[in-house]
mmCIF file of all heavy atoms in Angstrom:
data_model
loop_
_atom_site.group_PDB
_atom_site.id
_atom_site.type_symbol
_atom_site.label_atom_id
_atom_site.label_comp_id
_atom_site.label_asym_id
_atom_site.label_seq_id
_atom_site.Cartn_x
_atom_site.Cartn_y
_atom_site.Cartn_z
ATOM 1 N N SER A 1 -21.078 20.983 -17.848
ATOM 2 C CA SER A 1 -21.202 22.247 -17.323
ATOM 3 C C SER A 1 -20.456 23.280 -18.230
ATOM 4 O O SER A 1 -19.530 22.889 -18.976
ATOM 5 C CB SER A 1 -20.454 22.273 -15.975
ATOM 6 O OG SER A 1 -19.010 22.180 -16.008
ATOM 7 N N TYR A 2 -20.770 24.497 -18.084
ATOM 8 C CA TYR A 2 -20.172 25.606 -18.896
ATOM 9 C C TYR A 2 -18.614 25.669 -18.529
ATOM 10 O O TYR A 2 -17.809 25.873 -19.449
ATOM 11 C CB TYR A 2 -20.854 26.887 -18.690
ATOM 12 C CG TYR A 2 -20.222 28.053 -19.596
ATOM 13 C CD1 TYR A 2 -20.357 28.020 -20.930
ATOM 14 C CD2 TYR A 2 -19.432 29.021 -18.976
ATOM 15 C CE1 TYR A 2 -19.721 29.038 -21.692
ATOM 16 C CE2 TYR A 2 -18.783 29.982 -19.700
ATOM 17 C CZ TYR A 2 -18.960 29.978 -21.120
ATOM 18 O OH TYR A 2 -18.376 31.012 -21.869
ATOM 19 N N ASP A 3 -18.346 25.499 -17.320
ATOM 20 C CA ASP A 3 -16.985 25.504 -16.886
ATOM 21 C C ASP A 3 -16.148 24.499 -17.626
ATOM 22 O O ASP A 3 -15.015 24.691 -18.062
ATOM 23 C CB ASP A 3 -16.808 25.291 -15.322
ATOM 24 C CG ASP A 3 -17.357 26.458 -14.554
ATOM 25 O OD1 ASP A 3 -17.825 27.436 -15.154
ATOM 26 O OD2 ASP A 3 -17.251 26.366 -13.255
ATOM 27 N N ALA A 4 -16.661 23.206 -17.731
ATOM 28 C CA ALA A 4 -15.965 22.166 -18.379
ATOM 29 C C ALA A 4 -15.731 22.449 -19.917
ATOM 30 O O ALA A 4 -14.698 22.199 -20.415
ATOM 31 C CB ALA A 4 -16.765 20.828 -18.173
ATOM 32 N N VAL A 5 -16.822 23.000 -20.553
ATOM 33 C CA VAL A 5 -16.708 23.370 -21.939
ATOM 34 C C VAL A 5 -15.745 24.468 -22.140
ATOM 35 O O VAL A 5 -14.949 24.521 -23.143
ATOM 36 C CB VAL A 5 -18.065 23.711 -22.504
ATOM 37 C CG1 VAL A 5 -17.943 24.157 -23.944
ATOM 38 C CG2 VAL A 5 -19.005 22.466 -22.364
ATOM 39 N N SER A 6 -15.712 25.502 -21.271
ATOM 40 C CA SER A 6 -14.753 26.546 -21.337
ATOM 41 C C SER A 6 -13.301 26.007 -21.201
ATOM 42 O O SER A 6 -12.443 26.486 -22.008
ATOM 43 C CB SER A 6 -15.045 27.583 -20.262
ATOM 44 O OG SER A 6 -16.213 28.305 -20.444
ATOM 45 N N TYR A 7 -13.162 25.170 -20.263
ATOM 46 C CA TYR A 7 -11.740 24.540 -20.138
ATOM 47 C C TYR A 7 -11.331 23.891 -21.398
ATOM 48 O O TYR A 7 -10.275 23.970 -21.858
ATOM 49 C CB TYR A 7 -11.812 23.594 -18.905
ATOM 50 C CG TYR A 7 -10.431 23.059 -18.481
ATOM 51 C CD1 TYR A 7 -9.789 23.600 -17.413
ATOM 52 C CD2 TYR A 7 -9.816 22.063 -19.199
ATOM 53 C CE1 TYR A 7 -8.595 23.071 -17.080
ATOM 54 C CE2 TYR A 7 -8.602 21.567 -18.822
ATOM 55 C CZ TYR A 7 -7.966 22.088 -17.708
ATOM 56 O OH TYR A 7 -6.694 21.666 -17.459
ATOM 57 N N LEU A 8 -12.249 23.015 -22.004
ATOM 58 C CA LEU A 8 -11.965 22.359 -23.151
ATOM 59 C C LEU A 8 -11.628 23.339 -24.309
ATOM 60 O O LEU A 8 -10.594 23.066 -25.001
ATOM 61 C CB LEU A 8 -13.212 21.573 -23.691
ATOM 62 C CG LEU A 8 -13.265 20.933 -25.061
ATOM 63 C CD1 LEU A 8 -12.257 19.835 -25.053
ATOM 64 C CD2 LEU A 8 -14.616 20.500 -25.435
ATOM 65 N N LEU A 9 -12.366 24.408 -24.467
ATOM 66 C CA LEU A 9 -12.020 25.367 -25.507
ATOM 67 C C LEU A 9 -10.684 26.090 -25.345
ATOM 68 O O LEU A 9 -9.897 26.184 -26.296
ATOM 69 C CB LEU A 9 -13.127 26.343 -25.602
ATOM 70 C CG LEU A 9 -14.480 25.909 -26.188
ATOM 71 C CD1 LEU A 9 -15.553 26.969 -25.935
ATOM 72 C CD2 LEU A 9 -14.406 25.545 -27.660
ATOM 73 N N ILE A 10 -10.408 26.338 -24.083
ATOM 74 C CA ILE A 10 -9.190 27.206 -23.870
ATOM 75 C C ILE A 10 -7.962 26.299 -23.771
ATOM 76 O O ILE A 10 -6.899 26.693 -24.387
ATOM 77 C CB ILE A 10 -9.344 28.009 -22.524
ATOM 78 C CG1 ILE A 10 -10.470 29.033 -22.722
ATOM 79 C CG2 ILE A 10 -8.083 28.601 -22.073
ATOM 80 C CD1 ILE A 10 -11.072 29.567 -21.477
ATOM 81 N N TYR A 11 -8.073 25.190 -23.127
ATOM 82 C CA TYR A 11 -6.872 24.331 -22.989
ATOM 83 C C TYR A 11 -6.754 23.218 -23.953
ATOM 84 O O TYR A 11 -5.698 22.452 -23.981
ATOM 85 C CB TYR A 11 -6.811 23.795 -21.512
ATOM 86 C CG TYR A 11 -6.679 24.836 -20.483
ATOM 87 C CD1 TYR A 11 -7.709 25.278 -19.731
ATOM 88 C CD2 TYR A 11 -5.374 25.389 -20.309
ATOM 89 C CE1 TYR A 11 -7.571 26.336 -18.793
ATOM 90 C CE2 TYR A 11 -5.230 26.482 -19.360
ATOM 91 C CZ TYR A 11 -6.348 26.862 -18.582
ATOM 92 O OH TYR A 11 -6.145 27.874 -17.677
ATOM 93 N N GLY A 12 -7.764 22.937 -24.754
ATOM 94 C CA GLY A 12 -7.625 21.978 -25.790
ATOM 95 C C GLY A 12 -7.917 20.574 -25.411
ATOM 96 O O GLY A 12 -7.668 19.562 -26.141
ATOM 97 N N LYS A 13 -8.398 20.342 -24.208
ATOM 98 C CA LYS A 13 -8.661 18.956 -23.707
ATOM 99 C C LYS A 13 -9.773 19.014 -22.651
ATOM 100 O O LYS A 13 -9.882 20.087 -22.008
ATOM 101 C CB LYS A 13 -7.439 18.267 -23.175
ATOM 102 C CG LYS A 13 -6.930 18.823 -21.895
ATOM 103 C CD LYS A 13 -5.555 18.078 -21.466
ATOM 104 C CE LYS A 13 -5.132 18.595 -20.060
ATOM 105 N NZ LYS A 13 -6.040 17.941 -18.987
ATOM 106 N N MET A 14 -10.376 17.943 -22.391
ATOM 107 C CA MET A 14 -11.413 17.864 -21.386
ATOM 108 C C MET A 14 -10.672 17.755 -20.059
ATOM 109 O O MET A 14 -9.664 17.056 -19.899
ATOM 110 C CB MET A 14 -12.182 16.630 -21.545
ATOM 111 C CG MET A 14 -13.264 16.718 -22.642
ATOM 112 S SD MET A 14 -14.470 18.076 -22.438
ATOM 113 C CE MET A 14 -15.239 17.616 -20.835
ATOM 114 N N PRO A 15 -11.183 18.465 -19.049
ATOM 115 C CA PRO A 15 -10.404 18.453 -17.776
ATOM 116 C C PRO A 15 -10.732 17.257 -16.976
ATOM 117 O O PRO A 15 -11.894 16.659 -17.121
ATOM 118 C CB PRO A 15 -11.075 19.760 -17.058
ATOM 119 C CG PRO A 15 -12.405 19.822 -17.612
ATOM 120 C CD PRO A 15 -12.313 19.388 -19.074
ATOM 121 N N ASP A 16 -9.825 16.742 -16.208
ATOM 122 C CA ASP A 16 -10.189 15.697 -15.255
ATOM 123 C C ASP A 16 -10.810 16.332 -14.030
ATOM 124 O O ASP A 16 -11.004 17.530 -13.912
ATOM 125 C CB ASP A 16 -8.891 14.938 -14.822
ATOM 126 C CG ASP A 16 -7.775 15.694 -14.165
ATOM 127 O OD1 ASP A 16 -8.130 16.684 -13.458
ATOM 128 O OD2 ASP A 16 -6.614 15.361 -14.272
ATOM 129 N N THR A 17 -11.191 15.483 -13.054
ATOM 130 C CA THR A 17 -12.013 16.104 -11.895
ATOM 131 C C THR A 17 -11.164 17.154 -11.182
ATOM 132 O O THR A 17 -11.845 18.208 -10.773
ATOM 133 C CB THR A 17 -12.373 14.873 -10.941
ATOM 134 O OG1 THR A 17 -13.001 13.883 -11.695
ATOM 135 C CG2 THR A 17 -13.192 15.385 -9.770
ATOM 136 N N GLY A 18 -9.964 16.979 -10.902
ATOM 137 C CA GLY A 18 -9.167 17.926 -10.208
ATOM 138 C C GLY A 18 -8.977 19.182 -10.960
ATOM 139 O O GLY A 18 -9.038 20.323 -10.401
ATOM 140 N N GLU A 19 -8.746 19.048 -12.260
ATOM 141 C CA GLU A 19 -8.538 20.256 -13.129
ATOM 142 C C GLU A 19 -9.789 21.070 -13.167
ATOM 143 O O GLU A 19 -9.717 22.378 -13.173
ATOM 144 C CB GLU A 19 -8.104 19.849 -14.475
ATOM 145 C CG GLU A 19 -6.638 19.311 -14.578
ATOM 146 C CD GLU A 19 -6.275 18.609 -15.844
ATOM 147 O OE1 GLU A 19 -7.245 18.131 -16.533
ATOM 148 O OE2 GLU A 19 -5.115 18.522 -16.223
ATOM 149 N N LEU A 20 -10.895 20.386 -13.282
ATOM 150 C CA LEU A 20 -12.244 21.153 -13.404
ATOM 151 C C LEU A 20 -12.586 21.787 -12.082
ATOM 152 O O LEU A 20 -12.988 23.034 -12.086
ATOM 153 C CB LEU A 20 -13.346 20.222 -13.827
ATOM 154 C CG LEU A 20 -14.740 20.850 -13.866
ATOM 155 C CD1 LEU A 20 -14.725 21.929 -14.807
ATOM 156 C CD2 LEU A 20 -15.740 19.708 -14.228
ATOM 157 N N ALA A 21 -12.250 21.183 -11.012
ATOM 158 C CA ALA A 21 -12.573 21.749 -9.702
ATOM 159 C C ALA A 21 -11.684 23.061 -9.494
ATOM 160 O O ALA A 21 -12.225 24.025 -9.032
ATOM 161 C CB ALA A 21 -12.241 20.790 -8.543
ATOM 162 N N GLU A 22 -10.420 22.937 -9.847
ATOM 163 C CA GLU A 22 -9.469 24.130 -9.643
ATOM 164 C C GLU A 22 -9.957 25.227 -10.521
ATOM 165 O O GLU A 22 -9.977 26.457 -10.117
ATOM 166 C CB GLU A 22 -8.101 23.706 -10.008
ATOM 167 C CG GLU A 22 -7.096 24.850 -9.794
ATOM 168 C CD GLU A 22 -5.630 24.398 -10.115
ATOM 169 O OE1 GLU A 22 -5.451 23.216 -10.587
ATOM 170 O OE2 GLU A 22 -4.727 25.287 -9.998
ATOM 171 N N PHE A 23 -10.356 24.985 -11.836
ATOM 172 C CA PHE A 23 -10.758 25.936 -12.736
ATOM 173 C C PHE A 23 -11.993 26.611 -12.254
ATOM 174 O O PHE A 23 -12.197 27.873 -12.353
ATOM 175 C CB PHE A 23 -10.991 25.259 -14.133
ATOM 176 C CG PHE A 23 -11.294 26.225 -15.310
ATOM 177 C CD1 PHE A 23 -10.341 27.095 -15.782
ATOM 178 C CD2 PHE A 23 -12.549 26.165 -15.850
ATOM 179 C CE1 PHE A 23 -10.630 27.989 -16.766
ATOM 180 C CE2 PHE A 23 -12.915 27.025 -16.898
ATOM 181 C CZ PHE A 23 -11.922 27.869 -17.377
ATOM 182 N N SER A 24 -12.934 25.877 -11.806
ATOM 183 C CA SER A 24 -14.256 26.456 -11.312
ATOM 184 C C SER A 24 -14.021 27.346 -10.111
ATOM 185 O O SER A 24 -14.630 28.411 -9.966
ATOM 186 C CB SER A 24 -15.238 25.365 -11.005
ATOM 187 O OG SER A 24 -15.637 24.647 -12.094
ATOM 188 N N ILE A 25 -13.154 26.865 -9.206
ATOM 189 C CA ILE A 25 -12.778 27.688 -8.054
ATOM 190 C C ILE A 25 -12.199 29.015 -8.413
ATOM 191 O O ILE A 25 -12.570 30.117 -7.902
ATOM 192 C CB ILE A 25 -11.832 26.946 -7.068
ATOM 193 C CG1 ILE A 25 -12.572 25.753 -6.372
ATOM 194 C CG2 ILE A 25 -11.285 27.841 -6.042
ATOM 195 C CD1 ILE A 25 -11.726 24.800 -5.624
ATOM 196 N N ASN A 26 -11.294 29.012 -9.343
ATOM 197 C CA ASN A 26 -10.667 30.228 -9.792
ATOM 198 C C ASN A 26 -11.675 31.190 -10.502
ATOM 199 O O ASN A 26 -11.619 32.408 -10.310
ATOM 200 C CB ASN A 26 -9.521 29.867 -10.776
ATOM 201 C CG ASN A 26 -8.259 29.188 -10.068
ATOM 202 O OD1 ASN A 26 -8.079 29.438 -8.897
ATOM 203 N ND2 ASN A 26 -7.508 28.460 -10.859
ATOM 204 N N LEU A 27 -12.564 30.642 -11.352
ATOM 205 C CA LEU A 27 -13.599 31.434 -11.889
ATOM 206 C C LEU A 27 -14.502 32.076 -10.810
ATOM 207 O O LEU A 27 -14.820 33.309 -10.894
ATOM 208 C CB LEU A 27 -14.527 30.572 -12.813
ATOM 209 C CG LEU A 27 -13.905 30.175 -14.178
ATOM 210 C CD1 LEU A 27 -14.848 29.234 -14.883
ATOM 211 C CD2 LEU A 27 -13.575 31.405 -15.004
ATOM 212 N N ARG A 28 -14.850 31.327 -9.857
ATOM 213 C CA ARG A 28 -15.831 31.833 -8.799
ATOM 214 C C ARG A 28 -15.083 32.982 -7.979
ATOM 215 O O ARG A 28 -15.816 33.834 -7.533
ATOM 216 C CB ARG A 28 -16.353 30.687 -7.963
ATOM 217 C CG ARG A 28 -17.245 29.795 -8.769
ATOM 218 C CD ARG A 28 -17.759 28.639 -7.959
ATOM 219 N NE ARG A 28 -18.310 27.570 -8.858
ATOM 220 C CZ ARG A 28 -19.267 26.761 -8.501
ATOM 221 N NH1 ARG A 28 -19.781 26.714 -7.306
ATOM 222 N NH2 ARG A 28 -19.770 25.883 -9.364
ATOM 223 N N LYS A 29 -13.812 32.876 -7.786
ATOM 224 C CA LYS A 29 -13.006 33.801 -6.910
ATOM 225 C C LYS A 29 -13.015 35.134 -7.791
ATOM 226 O O LYS A 29 -12.857 36.205 -7.103
ATOM 227 C CB LYS A 29 -11.637 33.360 -6.772
ATOM 228 C CG LYS A 29 -11.504 32.300 -5.677
ATOM 229 C CD LYS A 29 -10.012 31.948 -5.598
ATOM 230 C CE LYS A 29 -9.760 30.844 -4.494
ATOM 231 N NZ LYS A 29 -8.353 30.459 -4.458
ATOM 232 N N GLU A 30 -13.071 35.145 -9.040
ATOM 233 C CA GLU A 30 -12.944 36.331 -9.864
ATOM 234 C C GLU A 30 -14.299 36.951 -10.340
ATOM 235 O O GLU A 30 -14.268 37.855 -11.235
ATOM 236 C CB GLU A 30 -12.089 36.016 -11.073
ATOM 237 C CG GLU A 30 -10.607 35.656 -10.751
ATOM 238 C CD GLU A 30 -9.850 36.913 -10.242
ATOM 239 O OE1 GLU A 30 -10.330 38.093 -10.334
ATOM 240 O OE2 GLU A 30 -8.704 36.678 -9.824
ATOM 241 N N ARG A 31 -15.341 36.551 -9.779
ATOM 242 C CA ARG A 31 -16.684 37.083 -10.242
ATOM 243 C C ARG A 31 -16.934 38.549 -9.855
ATOM 244 O O ARG A 31 -17.589 39.220 -10.572
ATOM 245 C CB ARG A 31 -17.830 36.168 -9.711
ATOM 246 C CG ARG A 31 -17.966 34.898 -10.431
ATOM 247 C CD ARG A 31 -18.922 33.951 -9.788
ATOM 248 N NE ARG A 31 -19.202 32.690 -10.532
ATOM 249 C CZ ARG A 31 -20.003 31.725 -10.080
ATOM 250 N NH1 ARG A 31 -20.592 31.829 -8.849
ATOM 251 N NH2 ARG A 31 -20.128 30.616 -10.858
ATOM 252 N N LYS A 32 -16.427 38.853 -8.685
ATOM 253 C CA LYS A 32 -16.653 40.275 -8.263
ATOM 254 C C LYS A 32 -15.948 41.357 -9.178
ATOM 255 O O LYS A 32 -14.816 41.002 -9.624
ATOM 256 C CB LYS A 32 -16.280 40.515 -6.811
ATOM 257 C CG LYS A 32 -17.187 39.746 -5.858
ATOM 258 C CD LYS A 32 -16.742 40.058 -4.422
ATOM 259 C CE LYS A 32 -17.683 39.392 -3.369
ATOM 260 N NZ LYS A 32 -17.246 39.599 -2.014
ATOM 261 N N VAL A 33 -16.570 42.435 -9.448
ATOM 262 C CA VAL A 33 -15.942 43.592 -10.207
ATOM 263 C C VAL A 33 -15.539 44.676 -9.333
ATOM 264 O O VAL A 33 -16.030 44.846 -8.180
ATOM 265 C CB VAL A 33 -16.852 43.997 -11.344
ATOM 266 C CG1 VAL A 33 -17.140 42.788 -12.250
ATOM 267 C CG2 VAL A 33 -18.127 44.569 -10.780
#
């Protein structure tokens, strides 16, 4: 997923299931402008 690759680029490692879920939730919360 793009979220997983973004996490990898920014944090320098592949996210585990929990880390990816939290990252994706935070991204989706911030979509509105």
Side-chain angles (χ1 to χ4, degrees):
S1 69
Y2 181 72
D3 291 1
V5 174
S6 293
Y7 189 101
L8 169 70
L9 288 169
I10 292 159
Y11 293 103
K13 70 182 188 72
M14 287 300 301
D16 60 29
T17 303
E19 289 168 334
L20 180 57
E22 182 181 5
F23 186 67
S24 294
I25 288 170
N26 290 335
L27 284 173
R28 295 179 192 206
K29 283 180 180 177
E30 293 289 353
R31 284 174 175 171
K32 290 185 179 180
V33 298

